Each structure stands twice: as C-alpha cells, then as structure tokens.
Amino acid sequence: MTGRLLQQLKKRRKMLGLKQSDMMMRIGVSRQQYQRLEAKGNPRLDTLELIAKGLSSELMLIPQEKVSTVITVLENIETEQKPGQTRTHEKKSLSDDPWQDLLNDDQ
C-alpha cells in the first residue's frame, strides 16, 4: 500500500507542475527529505497530512466497496476539466470571442 500511495503523491506533485525542491516552501522539508520520502519513505500520518495540504489534496479513507466508484467519478472529473478545452454546450463569453454574434449567424 505504501508504494501505491507514494506513487500517487509523486503523480499529484507532477500534475501540479511542482518539483521536489518546491515542496520545501510548501511543507517545510528539504528536497532531499522529500525525495527520500517519495522514493521509499514510510511517512507518519501527520507528515502525510502536511504533504496532502502542500499538494492541495485531502487524505481520506474510502471503503473498499466504494473505491471503484470513487475512481470512476474522479476520472470523469479529470476528462471534463482538460485544460484548454471548451465544452460545446457552453457559450463563450464576449471576452473569449469578441466577434461572437457580430453577423447574427447563430440563428
């Protein structure tokens, strides 16, 4: 379990575009300490809570029978929030598209 958790921490850090050295400012540990923890650490609960906060995340216990549901929900949220994508059902604002409705061809 610890290995999977450490992989998730690393994945989250990278998703946020953070380097290991950035964690010093976020949680107060040196790059070397964080690198060791991410590689093979066995962090205490209070350390995990601190890291989660530094990664703009929450720690929570999920009942095993609900894990697949939670994963499905999270995957759906990730696909809906891809950067740079505009949902087709959302109308762009005037600041996004200053030419919007200029010729009234939406009719």
Side-chain angles (χ1 to χ4, degrees):
M1 180 175 134
T2 303
R4 191 171 62 196
L5 177 61
L6 297 177
Q7 289 172 350
Q8 290 175 357
L9 293 175
K10 184 176 183 177
K11 181 180 177 183
R12 176 67 178 163
R13 176 182 57 78
K14 288 183 172 188
M15 187 180 354
L16 293 173
L18 299 171
K19 298 176 185 172
Q20 289 177 334
S21 58
D22 296 328
M23 297 307 287
M24 182 174 170
M25 293 301 291
R26 289 180 158 250
I27 65 172
V29 299
S30 71
R31 182 193 60 77
Q32 293 86 358
Q33 287 173 308
Y34 188 80
Q35 181 181 31
R36 225 179 359 253
L37 184 139
E38 203 174 80
K40 60 181 181 239
N42 190 6
R44 296 179 2 205
L45 183 56
D46 59 339
T47 303
L48 274 176
E49 289 175 332
L50 187 63
I51 292 168
K53 185 176 179 182
L55 295 173
S56 302
S57 300
E58 287 287 330
L59 290 179
M60 63 176 55
L61 293 175
I62 302 170
Q64 285 184 330
E65 66 272 10
K66 301 290 184 183
V67 170
S68 62
T69 304
V70 170
I71 289 171
T72 301
V73 169
L74 291 174
E75 286 172 347
N76 288 337
I77 290 171
E78 286 178 8
T79 57
E80 289 176 6
Q81 295 179 346
K82 293 271 186 199
Q85 283 186 341
T86 305
R87 293 186 186 138
T88 55
H89 65 276
E90 292 178 351
K91 190 166 182 152
K92 292 182 179 179
S93 72
L94 191 56
S95 62
D96 292 336
D97 184 5
W99 304 104
Q100 169 184 319
D101 295 329
L102 185 65
L103 298 175
N104 293 326
D105 43 77
D106 280 347
Q107 298 174 359

